[in-house]
Amino acid sequence: MHISTLFGALPVLIAILTPTTFAQTWSFCNPMNQTGCPNDIALGISNYSIDLTSQIMSTDVWNTTAGTINYDFKEGAQFIIEKKLESPTIQSNFHIFFGQVEVIMKAALGQGVVSSIVIQSDDLDEIDWEWIGGNQTHVQTNYFGKGNTTSYDRAIWHEVQTPQELYHNYTTDWQKDKTDFYIDGQVIRTLKKEEANGGKNYPQTPADVRLGIWPGGDPKNNEYTIEWAGGAVDYEQAPFTMAVKSVRVSDASTATEYHWSDQTGSMESIEVINGTKRAFGLDGNNSVSPAQTAAQRWRALSDTAKIAIFCSVGGVLLVAMGIMAFCCIKQRRAGKKERVLADAEFEKGTAELLAFRAEMNRQRALRMQDTKSGLGGNGYQKF
Ligand SMILES: *[C@@H]1O[C@H](CO)[C@@H](O)[C@H](O)[C@H]1NC(C)=O
Ligand SMILES: *[C@@H]1O[C@H](CO)[C@@H](O)[C@H](O)[C@H]1NC(C)=O
Ligand SMILES: *[C@@H]1O[C@H](CO)[C@@H](O)[C@H](O)[C@H]1NC(C)=O
Ligand SMILES: *[C@@H]1O[C@H](CO)[C@@H](O)[C@H](O)[C@H]1NC(C)=O
Ligand SMILES: *[C@@H]1O[C@H](CO)[C@@H](O)[C@H](O)[C@H]1NC(C)=O
Ligand SMILES: *[C@@H]1O[C@H](CO)[C@@H](O)[C@H](O)[C@H]1NC(C)=O
Ligand SMILES: *[C@@H]1O[C@H](CO)[C@@H](O)[C@H](O)[C@H]1NC(C)=O
Ligand SMILES: *[C@@H]1O[C@H](CO)[C@@H](O)[C@H](O)[C@H]1NC(C)=O
């Protein structure tokens, strides 16, 4: 911990003491089932990028939907499971309507621990990458259209060199007629639109980007999910850390918003709104407000780091120390409260995802069982 960090942080103390208000009125709304869902805010540019070894995500741009994210100058943004049922996850507040998502990352080690990149729309179109902590040779790519979990050969495992040890470049190039999945510049999978149930289940609606880690092998989950995750999580081995060095996202359009004009969930039903300005500014390399980034950097420091900063100072101005000690306690209390809330959040924020995965794995397991017993592919329908 460098003392110089303190001086960088000092001007920010004022900002911490000032309460921030951030209206969060958005709630999940599936445009195929409900009318009047809010428009999706578009990214609307090419090559939004953020280097997480030196920059912090803005809460305007990324919503932490469970847990907290740690930052490390070497590893970047860390998604850490320290104890049972933690599942730090972030979700972009922007959407892309086709485009590219590049993530330079290292998956978490640990049996039953799942690291993931998910590109997901409001009606559950989804493209994803998943790493199983106990598998150091493969990564899975998968997709869903309109939340259809019927499993044929959508999930594919690909070889990759020790993804829990080495950072790799996982890029998804999502286009109207096909999606290319790249690892370090090599195409490892191409999904053509027509392969996806004749195009009907091809991901085709404005989607956000989610990064996170979750205990797929938590004993609370059903046996299929635990099995898919590679076995039960042994929390004695925690912490389990997924680390993201950088993210680059391109939106294929230059829109400011996307409007779902009907309930078909088809790409044609999406109205591209070309306003003058996105509802929020960007962070990272596209930030126009470096001061805000400093404030966020400070807020994003872990409680221990903050305490370490305070404690390493020693003889600086007494008044400053007084203020800082106050903040220290305040932040620490806030931190504890946050953690309790974060734990509770697992149920709320992840339950839906888990239910989705569980169903997918249940169907897959049943299918496998039926194939083995010679019943053929449709046996699961009996249940
Ligand atoms: C949307 O509606 C479909 C069909 O009515 C239903 O199967 C699905 O569970 C609903 N999804 C949500 C998220 O409500
Ligand atoms: C965005 O970045 C990609 C990859 O680095 C590059 O190939 C492309 O030319 C860039 N596009 C624009 C519009 O800058
Ligand atoms: C951000 O910009 C810096 C300086 O131009 C560049 O070195 C870095 O690669 C960029 N980061 C990303 C993630 O594109
Ligand atoms: C951010 O996530 C929280 C927790 O899931 C949610 O309550 C809130 O509505 C989200 N905010 C936005 C802007 O999406
Ligand atoms: C990793 O996954 C691949 C693909 O499913 C599988 O062939 C391999 O046996 C797995 N390795 C371990 C250690 O589970
Ligand atoms: C990551 O891979 C994509 C796809 O091959 C490529 O366009 C991009 O330049 C790569 N990014 C870096 C930082 O190498
Ligand atoms: C779900 O996908 C399966 C497999 O592609 C397909 O047979 C089925 O018709 C799809 N269901 C819906 C509601 O689109
Ligand atoms: C916005 O611009 C795109 C591309 O120029 C165009 O296809 C689309 O129709 C425009 N949207 C509206 C609502 O005018």
Side-chain angles (χ1 to χ4, degrees):
M1 187 54 58
H2 298 282
I3 290 187
S4 63
T5 317
L6 173 74
F7 299 107
L10 268 175
V12 175
L13 285 175
I14 315 291
I16 293 164
L17 293 169
T18 315
T20 49
T21 48
F22 186 65
Q24 295 188 331
T25 49
W26 184 89
S27 67
F28 186 75
C29 187
N30 184 336
M32 285 185 69
N33 294 27
Q34 287 165 264
T35 54
C37 289
N39 290 348
D40 289 329
I41 298 182
L43 176 61
I45 64 163
S46 282
N47 292 338
Y48 153 78
S49 69
I50 184 162
D51 174 352
L52 296 162
T53 62
S54 64
Q55 298 164 325
I56 299 287
M57 287 173 279
S58 153
T59 51
D60 287 349
V61 183
W62 296 93
N63 193 5
T64 304
T65 49
T68 47
I69 309 305
N70 279 16
Y71 290 90
D72 182 277
F73 292 117
K74 256 202 175 125
E75 298 228 304
Q78 296 176 314
F79 297 71
I80 308 177
I81 294 180
E82 275 178 81
K83 57 184 193 334
K84 194 168 164 62
L85 298 186
E86 287 180 330
S87 59
T89 305
I90 57 163
Q91 178 177 334
S92 69
N93 290 327
F94 60 73
H95 295 71
I96 59 172
F97 188 29
F98 304 106
Q100 285 186 5
V101 176
E102 166 192 307
V103 182
I104 312 284
M105 62 164 274
K106 194 171 76 170
L109 264 177
Q111 177 173 303
V113 175
V114 183
S115 302
S116 64
I117 303 172
V118 176
I119 301 167
Q120 192 179 88
S121 79
D122 296 343
D123 72 346
L124 306 178
D125 282 349
E126 177 176 328
I127 301 172
D128 56 34
W129 295 79
E130 281 169 311
W131 295 260
I132 303 303
N135 192 317
Q136 298 193 55
T137 55
H138 287 75
V139 56
Q140 180 186 281
T141 61
N142 203 352
Y143 74 91
F144 299 90
K146 301 177 173 67
N148 187 341
T149 55
T150 311
S151 207
Y152 287 89
D153 50 1
R154 286 180 296 98
I156 296 182
W157 291 92
H158 313 274
E159 256 182 80
V160 57
Q161 196 187 349
T162 52
Q164 292 83 0
E165 256 169 53
L166 302 173
Y167 285 89
H168 290 286
N169 172 352
Y170 301 98
T171 296
T172 311
D173 187 9
W174 175 39
Q175 300 175 28
K176 280 186 178 167
D177 55 346
K178 65 163 182 160
T179 299
D180 288 319
F181 298 79
Y182 291 85
I183 299 178
D184 299 330
Q186 303 295 314
V187 179
I188 47 116
R189 177 178 190 180
T190 297
L191 166 70
K192 294 206 184 93
K193 183 184 173 190
E194 56 273 19
E195 283 171 46
N197 192 19
K200 188 169 178 254
N201 287 148
Y202 182 73
Q204 56 190 283
T205 50
D208 58 41
V209 178
R210 302 170 190 201
L211 304 174
I213 180 173
W214 57 284
D218 188 89
K220 252 178 104 167
N221 295 335
N222 74 41
E223 59 180 300
Y224 303 113
T225 303
I226 297 171
E227 192 187 316
W228 171 78
V233 176
D234 176 6
Y235 289 100
E236 293 290 309
Q237 307 296 315
F240 307 113
T241 305
M242 159 179 162
V244 179
K245 263 195 174 153
S246 68
V247 177
R248 177 178 65 88
V249 187
S250 287
D251 193 345
S253 94
T254 55
T256 50
E257 287 180 47
Y258 298 115
H259 174 68
W260 298 67
S261 71
D262 64 27
Q263 298 191 313
T264 59
S266 73
M267 65 174 92
E268 292 78 18
S269 74
I270 304 300
E271 193 183 320
V272 172
I273 300 176
N274 308 302
T276 50
K277 206 161 173 274
R278 191 186 319 96
F280 50 81
L282 294 174
D283 54 3
N285 277 12
N286 308 80
S287 170
V288 289
S289 165
Q292 193 188 25
T293 304
Q296 281 146 7
R297 169 174 290 282
W298 173 252
R299 264 184 242 122
L301 284 175
S302 68
D303 297 334
T304 4
K306 278 171 187 155
I307 291 161
I309 290 171
F310 294 139
C311 299
S312 68
V313 177
V316 194
L317 289 169
L318 266 171
V319 179
M321 285 297 282
I323 295 169
M324 285 188 291
F326 169 74
C327 295
C328 191
I329 292 157
K330 196 178 159 210
Q331 285 293 317
R332 201 177 178 180
R333 283 205 187 120
K336 255 190 202 141
K337 201 171 144 205
E338 220 166 67
R339 170 137 305 162
V340 173
L341 286 173
D343 288 348
E345 205 61 47
F346 174 81
E347 290 284 296
K348 251 173 63 208
T350 320
E352 202 173 299
L353 176 71
L354 288 180
F356 189 46
R357 295 276 184 269
E359 176 59 18
M360 171 183 115
N361 291 304
R362 186 183 70 87
Q363 294 187 5
R364 181 182 302 154
L366 290 170
R367 179 168 302 281
M368 270 159 44
Q369 230 172 48
D370 289 348
T371 308
K372 275 183 205 147
S373 60
L375 283 176
N378 283 323
Y380 72 93
Q381 284 171 349
K382 292 190 310 254
F383 294 83

